[in-house]
Amino acid sequence: MHLVALLLILVFVLNTGFMFIVIFAQRRNTAATWAWMVAIALLPLAGFVIYMIIGQDSRKQKVFLQKSDNDDELHTIYRELGLGADEDDTTEDNSITLYHSGKDKYEAILADIANAKKYIFVQYYILRGDDVGRHMVRKLALKAMEGVEVRLLLDGMGCAFTPRDTYQPLLEAGGKLGLFMPPVPVRINFRNHRKLAVIDNTVAYIGGSNIGKEYLGMGELGNWRDTHMRITGGAVNPILLRFIMDWNFASEDKMQVLPEYFASRDLRTPTHEGSRATIISSGPDTRYPNVLHAFCQMIMGAKKSIYIQTPYFVPDDALFTCIRIAALSGIDVRIMYPANPDHPFVYWASSSFIGELMCAGVKGYAYTKGFLHSKTVMVDSKICAVGTANMDVRSFKINFETHAFIEDETVTKELEAAFFKDVKDSRVLTLDGYNQRPRRIKVRESISRLFSPLL
């Protein structure tokens, strides 16, 4: 009996010590601190182990501070060579094609790969070892055999279960593979969630679609609704620079910022004919959550309408407040998320946030025709954003993300038309229905909302 009491006291002391570590060792927002305190209290010892695996502040880790320094050096070389717009700079000479399904985007990028003459740099969070993923690798291998420089950069966790032999044809053909932070027991966070491609310094892709059967609508979730973008023009260069930065972090085979990789100004569309585009990235290697800040700026500048599509809606306080203020100001705010979730815990948290915003006048929709993976924001039929970041804390503060922010009425209106087409395939959420939801759902939402800062 004394031994049991002693063990209980030891656990209590250790757990209390762990709580102090969470409070004082790293500066984080109050909500996240309290959420971790509750987790550690409810799960003695195990809670702290979970914290060590997924809860540490990424921006204070030495490896990311070093990546930031290395990225700054590449930025400096890029600017000194006068290669064009930097990230966060606006280019005005872009031509943009939108894809509203993974199948259309997949066919388009394969066509551009087939026509490549110089290089193909492809970066994805997930590339499955299924028929779709292997087909992509074979196409890349064929170009490598032709002498085209081919580099494939994949996230270590996103592709943790992709068989290694999936990449063998590319490697045998002379192509190169980089794995971004392969997972280890104490490091499963900080994922590179970007989906980018640059081909022959003229074409870039950015958006939400990965490579695999489910992204073509052939998975368990059925129809896969996504948004991806093909860009030509000045915005290609900052996307390419971002690829080089990430490649150099993941691979020992370092790339150089060479003029021949980048599009020169005389190869680009005249300024007055193109779309205005700004490429913004954020992650553990940036000082601020730049994508989040850009979303807040878009929303706070709205005059008439804000339409949002996201698979996960777990906003931080700043974004939540911006959206609520916009709705209370009489702006038409609409948010769409999937009715058929792939992560139920995140789904219940999303439902809680959207339910609260409906009280302020936000219109909510649950997409029912398969799975909604699109990550888009449209404001006033003039400005839009398409990229890799979800509307959640993980995308804003933990993962590596990139978004394209476009000022173009034609592009924005096309996205809005797609949004309202999706409304027809959605369940309209009502405030009465939300207030009358069963108690079991309220409990699920409350628990999920409590731990939302950790999602």
Side-chain angles (χ1 to χ4, degrees):
M1 188 68 180
H2 292 296
L3 181 59
V4 172
L6 250 156
L7 287 174
L8 290 175
I9 292 171
L10 179 60
V11 169
F12 174 79
V13 170
L14 287 173
N15 232 35
T16 302
F18 294 153
M19 289 182 181
F20 275 98
I21 291 174
V22 171
I23 295 171
F24 295 111
Q26 299 186 18
R27 182 179 298 175
R28 59 176 71 244
N29 67 62
T30 305
T33 298
W34 276 109
W36 278 116
M37 295 274 283
V38 171
I40 291 172
L42 293 177
L43 300 169
L45 302 184
F48 185 70
V49 173
I50 296 172
Y51 168 79
M52 292 300 295
I53 295 173
I54 68 172
Q56 298 183 68
D57 188 347
S58 60
R59 286 175 174 78
K60 292 188 177 181
Q61 295 201 13
K62 184 177 180 180
V63 64
F64 300 127
L65 294 174
Q66 183 61 54
K67 183 180 187 301
S68 180
D69 290 342
N70 294 339
D71 290 353
D72 286 343
E73 291 178 9
L74 292 174
H75 267 126
T76 300
I77 297 170
Y78 177 82
R79 288 192 295 268
E80 289 176 347
L81 291 173
L83 294 174
D86 202 348
E87 285 190 311
D88 301 339
D89 287 342
T90 299
T91 58
E92 301 183 349
D93 57 351
N94 301 287
S95 177
I96 292 170
T97 303
L98 293 169
Y99 302 102
H100 304 288
S101 73
K103 182 179 180 181
D104 291 342
K105 170 258 177 174
Y106 186 67
E107 292 175 352
I109 195 172
L110 286 179
D112 280 327
I113 287 172
N115 293 324
K117 299 294 188 294
K118 299 177 181 178
Y119 66 77
I120 304 166
F121 301 150
V122 178
Q123 175 175 356
Y124 281 101
Y125 174 58
I126 293 173
L127 186 146
R128 301 291 189 202
D130 56 23
D131 293 344
V132 173
R134 291 177 184 271
H135 181 70
M136 166 69 85
V137 171
R138 286 196 298 271
K139 292 299 183 181
L140 293 173
L142 287 173
K143 300 307 294 187
M145 292 173 65
E146 293 176 10
V148 174
E149 182 181 356
V150 180
R151 296 176 187 261
L152 176 62
L153 177 59
L154 302 171
D155 182 75
M157 176 60 74
C159 295
F161 299 104
T162 301
R164 293 287 296 184
D165 65 358
T166 302
Y167 319 121
Q168 199 59 38
L170 176 62
L171 298 175
E172 292 176 353
K176 297 179 180 180
L177 173 69
L179 289 179
F180 195 98
M181 292 183 65
V184 297
V186 293
R187 189 184 66 201
I188 62 173
N189 258 348
F190 320 133
R191 305 325 317 168
N192 196 316
H193 196 240
R194 296 175 179 131
K195 299 96 178 170
L196 312 174
V198 184
I199 301 168
D200 281 356
N201 71 336
T202 55
V203 177
Y205 284 81
I206 181 173
S209 179
N210 287 294
I211 303 297
K213 283 185 176 180
E214 69 262 45
Y215 303 102
L216 304 188
M218 298 184 289
E220 294 180 0
L221 294 172
N223 177 62
W224 191 276
R225 171 68 176 88
D226 221 325
T227 303
H228 220 87
M229 181 184 292
R230 181 184 188 271
I231 302 176
T232 62
V236 173
N237 281 356
I239 294 174
L240 172 56
L241 181 62
R242 174 52 55 187
F243 176 90
I244 294 173
M245 292 173 178
D246 288 353
W247 177 272
N248 284 358
F249 178 76
S251 174
E252 293 297 324
D253 175 33
K254 305 302 181 187
M255 296 180 67
Q256 302 298 319
V257 176
L258 302 175
E260 52 265 34
Y261 280 147
F262 294 85
S264 60
R265 292 185 183 276
D266 59 353
L267 292 177
R268 299 188 334 217
T269 309
T271 299
H272 64 279
E273 294 184 8
S275 303
R276 290 170 58 89
T278 307
I279 307 301
I280 296 180
S281 296
S282 61
D285 55 344
T286 61
R287 184 175 183 182
Y288 299 109
N290 300 321
V291 174
L292 169 62
H293 289 177
F295 281 148
C296 289
Q297 186 176 18
M298 277 184 74
I299 291 166
M300 292 304 291
K303 305 298 182 185
K304 297 179 180 178
S305 61
I306 302 167
Y307 306 141
I308 297 171
Q309 285 186 316
T310 180
Y312 318 114
F313 186 74
V314 187
D316 73 342
D317 291 342
L319 182 61
F320 183 86
T321 300
C322 288
I323 294 173
R324 183 168 58 188
I325 290 173
L328 291 172
S329 300
I331 293 171
D332 179 18
V333 182
R334 304 176 187 234
I335 301 174
M336 184 182 298
Y337 75 134
N340 306 310
D342 59 343
H343 298 296
F345 196 73
V346 181
Y347 171 79
W348 294 118
S350 300
S351 298
S352 173
F353 283 108
I354 292 177
E356 186 173 342
L357 285 171
M358 286 195 298
C359 297
V362 170
K363 299 179 179 68
Y365 304 92
Y367 183 78
T368 57
K369 189 181 177 181
F371 185 68
L372 178 70
H373 197 246
S374 180
K375 310 157 197 307
T376 61
V377 181
M378 295 77 75
V379 170
D380 292 346
S381 299
K382 296 179 180 179
I383 304 172
C384 61
V386 175
T388 70
N390 301 311
M391 285 280 181
D392 63 10
V393 176
R394 178 164 295 276
S395 279
F396 295 146
K397 299 182 178 180
I398 298 175
N399 286 343
F400 297 81
E401 305 282 3
T402 299
H403 238 76
F405 292 81
I406 310 297
E407 297 177 53
D408 186 299
E409 288 190 17
T410 301
V411 174
T412 305
K413 287 179 179 179
E414 181 179 339
L415 286 172
E416 289 181 344
F419 182 95
F420 283 102
K421 181 180 179 182
D422 292 335
V423 166
K424 298 177 182 178
D425 294 315
S426 301
R427 183 176 72 251
V428 179
L429 307 178
T430 66
L431 192 56
D432 285 344
Y434 180 74
N435 291 333
Q436 295 172 14
R437 65 198 187 283
R439 183 177 297 276
R440 69 180 184 280
I441 293 180
K442 292 180 180 180
V443 171
R444 291 172 184 171
E445 288 183 358
S446 296
I447 295 173
S448 300
R449 180 73 172 262
L450 176 64
F451 291 102
S452 64
L454 315 184
L455 298 179

